[in-house]
């Protein structure tokens, strides 16, 4: 069975600086050889610190931007080779919702207008039936039909995210990319939206790419997890396997930074030493080598390939086979290094990229957020 979505060797470098003659002199290697697939009706979580390239991958998958290299196949067809009609059909099949629903909902349109727009655009429902369909959509996301006449500012953050979800659902998509959909919401609202997304997946057979800087958020929604660091995937596995026994030193550090709810379930935190590197000038060899507690000489020069074992658990690390078992993760007896503090902050929730939260790996501000 072919997957719903297959991504192969995606590359996207942005020009970060030019000479006085306009020649590019520096690139942000935002996405640097990313491959994964998403099965119909399943959730792939794409996790990593702010600036590691998650949103760029999302935009590449939807073909909102063109890749420098690599392929995206949807239902077996190469998106790069689609004609206008086929691309239009794809734009119906694949939707996106963002971190900040307020920014993505037109403040001058009522909910009814917001939800009718895609119906009209794709000529899905006859004009006479659209009102009914709007009510159906609102019910689907747990909002009352009478809300149709209201404007976005009349809703709470969680309700606005429900409206954004309803708009995505209007065109009956097969895939929704959820780019940090709960990162801007109050912690108390997050699980409601996550539950809604899961419920909709069950009822409608949707596939998700669920983008998050917060591993804890992903734990309850992902079927498969891909961990990204500086534009590359360092580990990909079924969610259960990854959460039970992460293999890559970076994934282990991220997991050790998730707060443990039960006090008796102690977990040691891995202290990452070294400077936070930048996507503007990623380190040679393994991109994690400047922070990895297990670094050896080879890591500084040789890029580790992402290799899967027989179970489909893939790791990009020269030392996968030699690393200690997860239970023996190096204990953090000497407190936390500044790098780990930043890492914990980045994964501790809050608004991505907001004050004191996300760690931008680029060292520069994104031109397009
Ligand atoms: N349009 C752009 N121009 C230049 N740099 C960009 C652009 N979009 C993203 N970047 C850079 O690419 C890197 C990855 O960004 P992004 O995909 O937004 O990361 P994430 O979603 O994981 O936080 C960052 O270093 C960001 O600054
Ligand atoms: S390849 Fe080397 S530096 Fe990279 S994660 Fe593995 S041990 Fe660490
Ligand atoms: Mg992002």
């Amino acid at each position: 069975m072919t997957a719903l979505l297959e991504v192969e060797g995606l590359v996207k470098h942005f020009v970060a600086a030019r000479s006085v003659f306009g020649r590019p002199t520096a690139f942000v290697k935002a996405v640097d050889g990313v491959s994964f697939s998403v099965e119909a009706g399943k959730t792939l979580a794409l996790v990593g610190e702010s600036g590691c390239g998650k949103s760029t991958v999302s935009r590449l998958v939807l073909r909102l931007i063109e890749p420098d290299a690599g392929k995206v196949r949807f239902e077996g067809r190469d998106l790069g080779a689609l004609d206008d009609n086929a691309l239009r059909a794809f734009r119906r099949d694949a939707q996106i919702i963002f971190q900040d629903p307020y920014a993505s909902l037109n403040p001058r349109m009522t909910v009814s207008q917001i939800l009718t727009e895609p119906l009209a655009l794709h000529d899905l429902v006859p004009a006479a039936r659209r009102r009914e369909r709007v009510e159906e959509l609102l019910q689907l996301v747990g909002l009352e039909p009478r809300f149709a006449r209201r404007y976005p500012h009349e809703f709470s953050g969680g309700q606005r995210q429900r409206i954004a979800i309803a708009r995505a659902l209007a065109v009956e998509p097969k895939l929704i990319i959820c780019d940090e959909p709960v990162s801007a919401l109050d912690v108390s609202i997050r699980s409601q939206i996550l539950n809604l997304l899961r419920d909709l997946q069950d009822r409608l057979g949707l596939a998700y790419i669920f983008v998050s800087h917060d591993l804890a958020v992903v734990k309850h929604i992902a079927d498969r997890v891909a961990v990204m660091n500086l534009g590359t995937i360092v580990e990909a596995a079924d969610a259960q396997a990854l959460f039970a026994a992460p293999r890559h030193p970076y994934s282990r550090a991220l997991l050790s930074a998730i707060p443990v709810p039960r006090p008796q379930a102690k977990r040691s935190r891995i202290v990452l030493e070294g400077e936070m590197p930048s996507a503007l000038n990623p380190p040679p060899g393994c991109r994690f080598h400047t922070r990895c507690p297990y670094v050896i000489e080879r890591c500084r020069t040789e890029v580790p390939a992402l290799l899967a074992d027989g179970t489909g658990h893939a790791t990009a690390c020269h030392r996968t086979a030699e690393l200690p078992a997860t239970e023996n993760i190096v204990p953090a007896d000497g407190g936390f290094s500044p790098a780990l503090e930043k890492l914990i902050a980045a994964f501790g929730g809050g608004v991505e990229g907001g004050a004191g939260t996300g760690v931008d790996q680029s060292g520069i501000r994104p031109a397009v957020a």
Side-chain angles (χ1 to χ4, degrees):
M1 191 185 83
T2 50
L4 178 68
L5 180 84
E6 291 160 298
V7 167
E8 210 180 283
L10 271 192
V11 175
K12 184 71 186 180
H13 295 178
F14 294 107
V15 176
R18 290 181 188 273
S19 71
V20 284
F21 305 108
R23 201 167 47 83
T25 54
F27 293 93
V28 177
K29 297 180 175 173
V31 175
D32 218 12
V34 162
S35 305
F36 58 80
S37 58
V38 185
E39 304 288 332
K42 301 282 186 198
T43 299
L44 171 83
L46 207 53
V47 199
E49 288 159 281
S50 177
C52 73
K54 307 180 297 294
S55 293
T56 305
V57 167
S58 305
R59 289 190 289 153
L60 288 167
V61 165
L62 292 178
R63 215 144 191 108
L64 299 174
I65 51 175
E66 291 294 310
D68 296 334
K71 273 200 166 78
V72 180
R73 276 188 294 269
F74 189 79
E75 297 183 317
R77 290 194 301 171
D78 179 2
L79 291 190
L82 295 186
D83 62 21
D84 286 353
N85 269 341
L87 197 59
R88 207 173 122 91
F90 169 71
R91 296 228 184 284
R92 197 189 135 181
D93 285 336
Q95 295 290 306
I96 185 163
I97 57 175
F98 297 100
Q99 175 179 337
D100 179 2
Y102 201 51
S104 66
L105 299 173
N106 185 336
R108 280 179 290 278
M109 283 164 75
T110 63
V111 170
S112 170
Q113 288 166 329
I114 288 169
L115 297 182
T116 306
E117 197 176 48
L119 298 179
L121 184 70
H122 291 276
D123 203 13
L124 290 180
V125 177
R129 258 217 70 222
R130 284 186 193 151
R131 206 180 126 174
E132 202 182 317
R133 178 68 179 142
V134 165
E135 293 188 355
E136 267 169 31
L137 286 166
L138 286 173
Q139 261 157 0
L140 204 53
V141 298
L143 292 174
E144 293 176 36
R146 66 188 167 91
F147 288 170
R149 290 187 302 276
R150 297 195 187 166
Y151 290 88
H153 75 265
E154 299 178 63
F155 295 93
S156 68
Q159 287 173 324
R160 281 200 284 266
Q161 197 56 289
R162 287 175 193 267
I163 297 165
I165 294 168
R167 181 181 53 186
L169 292 176
V171 293
E172 296 166 32
K174 295 171 180 160
L175 170 73
I176 302 183
I177 300 186
C178 310
D179 190 350
E180 305 267 3
V182 299
S183 303
L185 300 178
D186 282 350
V187 174
S188 57
I189 311 290
R190 284 186 192 174
S191 55
Q192 293 175 19
I193 297 296
L194 290 173
N195 287 342
L196 172 67
L197 287 170
R198 251 208 319 243
D199 176 48
L200 290 170
Q201 178 165 61
D202 289 346
R203 288 164 69 177
L204 306 172
L206 298 165
Y208 295 136
I209 295 177
F210 192 99
V211 170
S212 180
H213 67 287
D214 190 343
L215 261 173
V217 161
V218 154
K219 190 165 184 183
H220 301 288
I221 194 156
D223 294 297
R224 201 169 163 82
V225 180
V227 178
M228 274 187 86
N229 178 49
L230 290 172
T232 61
I233 291 179
V234 297
E235 182 164 4
D238 289 345
Q240 249 182 341
L242 190 123
F243 279 97
R247 291 181 187 167
H248 195 281
Y250 181 65
S251 316
R252 292 174 176 212
L254 298 187
L255 269 171
S256 75
I258 294 182
V260 182
R262 287 170 296 127
Q264 68 271 31
K266 275 217 188 112
R267 184 168 47 209
S268 31
R269 282 181 162 170
I270 301 171
V271 178
L272 293 179
E273 300 295 345
E275 275 305 291
M276 182 76 80
S278 148
L280 192 55
N281 194 10
C286 172
R287 288 180 183 196
F288 188 53
H289 86 246
T290 58
R291 292 196 286 165
C292 181
Y294 307 106
V295 59
I296 52 172
E297 208 39 48
R298 183 181 177 199
C299 309
R300 300 181 209 278
T301 51
E302 203 182 314
V303 178
L306 183 66
L307 299 175
D309 68 8
T311 69
H313 192 145
T315 318
C317 170
H318 295 309
R319 306 193 66 193
T320 308
E322 318 158 31
L323 292 181
T326 324
E327 307 81 79
N328 306 331
I329 281 178
V330 196
D333 38 47
F336 307 136
S337 70
L340 182 69
E341 291 278 290
K342 280 200 230 165
L343 200 61
I344 292 171
F347 280 80
V351 180
E352 193 220 13
T357 56
V359 180
D360 194 325
Q361 294 189 329
S362 67
I364 58 162
R365 289 279 108 212
V368 180

